[in-house]
């Protein structure tokens, strides 16, 4: 039997990779993909704890996380298209209208 | 399933999962990143099956690898970015700080996990994680969040159309 720690460590690796991607990548679409990776890592943690405790509530929450991720992707990618249309770029370094200087 | 077979399957799913997740970050072309992400979602679905979350493994493949990734690929296609627009991913000093921060967070979480000791898995019944069992809990205990999710999806549909529309 694989101990739950393995699954939680795997989720931590997945989250760290997604987190590094969000901080390092410039392309807004790839930044969104890395956010999806982080959401999946959170889901894996929920499901690992659900399996460990023998309760299915964690799986129900993971189901809702997937639904919220779908909504987030739809609205987020619409924002990416709107930004590309108005500014002609999707580099997160060049979209800086709200930056404090 | 034997204990050793489960361990072997865990590593068979976990190693490609981490490799394809790293591929998402390493890829310069968004289409390659999307393909790596689809691969990562499939390996993660395998991990979900190991955790006896059968319904979620299927939802993962259908919703994530199917619907959400098609959405990503459509946006990549619509924007049709040239290499010049994509630009080179130059690692400035601030980005190295980001990499170090992510690595530090990983070390923190993994060391906390190592200190918390082994977590033995509880034996579960045959219907754990099946469509019937999870569906029953979704429609009884989690009925209100379930219905709220439908409102959320409606808001997301309207919001996406309003934001992406050229003239409102």
């Amino acid at each position: 039997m694989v101990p739950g720690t393995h699954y939680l460590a795997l989720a931590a690796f997945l989250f760290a990779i997604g987190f590094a991607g969000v901080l390092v990548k410039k392309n807004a679409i790839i930044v969104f993909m890395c956010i999806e990776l982080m959401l999946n890592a959170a889901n894996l943690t929920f499901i690992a704890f659900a399996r460990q405790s023998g309760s299915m509530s964690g799986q129900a929450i993971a189901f809702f996380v997937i639904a919220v991720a779908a909504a987030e992707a739809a609205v987020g990618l619409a924002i990416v298209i709107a930004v590309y249309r108005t500014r002609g770029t999707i580099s997160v370094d060049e979209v800086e209208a709200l930056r404090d200087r | 399933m034997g204990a050793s077979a489960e361990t072997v399957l865990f590593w068979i799913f976990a190693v490609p999962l981490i490799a394809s997740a790293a591929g998402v970050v390493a890829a310069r072309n968004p289409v390659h990143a999307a393909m790596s992400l689809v691969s990562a979602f499939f390996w993660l679905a395998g991990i979900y099956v190991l955790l006896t979350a059968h319904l979620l493994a299927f939802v993962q493949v259908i919703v994530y690898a199917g619907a959400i990734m098609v959405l990503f690929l459509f946006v990549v296609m619509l924007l049709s970015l040239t290499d010049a627009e994509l630009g080179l991913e130059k690692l400035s000093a601030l980005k190295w700080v980001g990499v170090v921060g992510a690595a530090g967070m990983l070390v923190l979480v993994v060391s906390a996990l190592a200190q918390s000791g082994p977590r033995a898995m509880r034996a579960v019944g045959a219907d754990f994680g099946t469509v019937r069992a999870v569906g029953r809990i979704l429609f009884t205990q989690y009925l209100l969040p379930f219905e709220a999710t439908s409102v959320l999806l409606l808001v997301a549909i309207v919001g996406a159309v309003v934001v992406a529309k050229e003239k409102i």
Side-chain angles (χ1 to χ4, degrees), chain B residues 41-98:
Chain B
F41 288 157
F42 271 97
W43 295 115
L44 194 61
I47 295 277
Y48 287 175
V49 172
L50 276 186
L51 285 167
T52 55
H54 302 104
L55 171 65
L56 278 162
F58 280 106
V59 170
Q60 171 87 9
V61 170
I62 293 168
V63 175
Y64 261 120
I68 295 183
M69 289 322 297
V70 168
L71 194 63
F72 272 99
L73 287 173
F74 257 101
V75 172
V76 171
M77 183 192 76
L78 284 175
L79 298 185
S80 66
L81 295 165
T82 58
D83 283 345
E85 282 174 311
L86 288 173
L88 289 174
E89 301 281 344
K90 50 179 188 294
L91 278 177
S92 63
L94 202 59
K95 304 244 160 143
W96 280 112
V97 173

Side-chain angles (χ1 to χ4, degrees), chain A residues 15-100:
Chain A
F15 190 89
I17 291 173
F19 188 48
V22 168
L23 294 174
V24 167
K25 300 302 279 188
K26 279 169 65 183
N27 189 331
I29 297 177
I30 298 184
V31 169
F32 265 105
M33 290 181 194
C34 292
I35 291 173
E36 300 293 332
L37 274 182
M38 291 161 78
L39 286 168
N40 271 281
N43 260 351
L44 179 55
T45 311
F46 271 124
I47 293 173
F49 276 121
R51 177 70 179 75
Q52 188 196 324
S53 64
S55 148
M56 268 177 292
S57 291
Q59 296 195 7
I61 301 291
F63 185 85
F64 295 130
V65 171
I66 291 177
V68 171
E72 175 257 357
V75 177
L77 290 172
I79 292 173
V80 169
I81 290 178
V83 166
Y84 182 74
R85 189 175 288 142
T86 53
R87 295 172 182 273
T89 180
I90 54 165
S91 168
V92 291
D93 287 350
E94 290 170 36
V95 181
E96 49 187 16
L98 292 179
R99 179 184 283 179
D100 183 33

